[in-house]
Amino acid sequence: DAGVTQSPTHLIKTRGQQVTLRCSPKSGHDTVSWYQQALGQGPQFIFQYYEEEERQRGNFPDRFSGHQFPNYSSELNVNALLLGDSALYLCASSLFSSGARGEQYFGPGTRLTVT
Amino acid sequence: AQTVTQSQPEMSVQEAETVTLSCTYDTSESDYYLFWYKQPPSRQMILVIRQEAYKQQNATENRFSVNFQKAAKSFSLKISDSQLGDAAMYFCAYKGVGAQKLVFGQGTRLTINP
């Protein structure tokens, strides 16, 4: 049973560029959440996708956008990259019908460095 | 908005000893969930233990147990018989009943001394 997978593992981009990160949820899960974890900090919620729609959004600018595909996989896009976007980006999957008590399973993350 | 605070940036313990990590939170909700996650150097967040606020009994998972004080809004994690593999960042997290997002604390880095 495959867990949550993310690609790529590491990524280096230049300021002003755009980046796309990918996530495949755990088998049987239908909801994907994205978190940003700056160095030495706890993860911060970016947004959540279910049924190919953004359901909840954290305090992140519109430069951060996402997409969910019919197979439940998801992409996180960041435009006009800033140095402050350098972080570990975590994807977590869950089953929407489990509600708040449902466990979120995390992927290993994508380390984004903006130079 | 809910907040989670971990006041211990770093903790260390001797192997086989017991250590307690602290966490406090702020919320106006009466029902919610609390979690402790472990993040080893491999970066993958692993759920250690979960507590449902409406349950008075403290959760236990093998060597891991919590002390949940709802009135004080405190949720500490006790690790008994510490092992070298317990070394990691530990994050306390909150999830409201009406939400699916997790709100994390700043983390505590736990070092196990052999």
Side-chain angles (χ1 to χ4, degrees), chain A residues 25-46:
Chain A
K26 177 180 169 62
S27 178
H29 284 181
D30 55 11
T31 302
V32 173
S33 301
W34 287 92
Y35 293 83
Q36 180 195 65
Q37 185 178 16
L39 194 61
Q41 301 293 318
Q44 299 288 318
F45 175 76
I46 303 175

Side-chain angles (χ1 to χ4, degrees), chain B residues 50-76:
Chain B
R50 171 173 60 189
Q51 176 76 42
E52 298 167 350
Y54 66 87
K55 290 186 177 180
Q56 292 186 337
Q57 186 173 6
N58 289 323
T60 299
E61 289 286 343
N62 300 314
R63 298 183 295 107
F64 300 86
S65 62
V66 299
N67 184 4
F68 173 48
Q69 301 290 327
K70 191 172 184 179
K73 295 180 181 175
S74 170
F75 182 60
S76 61

Side-chain angles (χ1 to χ4, degrees), chain A residues 4 26 29 31-35 43-49 56 90-96 98-107, chain B residues 35-38 44-48 50 93-96 99-104:
Chain A
V4 180
K26 177 180 169 62
H29 284 181
T31 302
V32 173
S33 301
W34 287 92
Y35 293 83
Q44 299 288 318
F45 175 76
I46 303 175
F47 44 52
Q48 181 185 83
Y49 276 84
Q56 278 189 289
L90 296 169
C91 168
S93 74
S94 56
L95 189 60
F96 193 84
S98 296
R101 75 180 314 277
E103 180 179 342
Q104 291 194 7
Y105 288 79
F106 284 82
Chain B
F35 306 83
W36 278 98
Y37 279 89
K38 169 185 177 181
Q44 190 148 9
M45 286 279 192
I46 302 165
L47 179 64
V48 174
R50 171 173 60 189
Y94 170 101
K95 188 197 287 185
Q100 293 224 10
K101 73 173 188 179
L102 288 161
V103 178
F104 286 88

Side-chain angles (χ1 to χ4, degrees), chain A residues 5-8 20-24 34 69 74-76 91 110:
Chain A
T5 60
Q6 291 186 245
S7 63
T20 297
L21 311 182
R22 296 175 175 82
C23 171
S24 291
W34 287 92
F69 299 93
S74 176
E75 289 181 349
L76 164 64
C91 168
T110 293

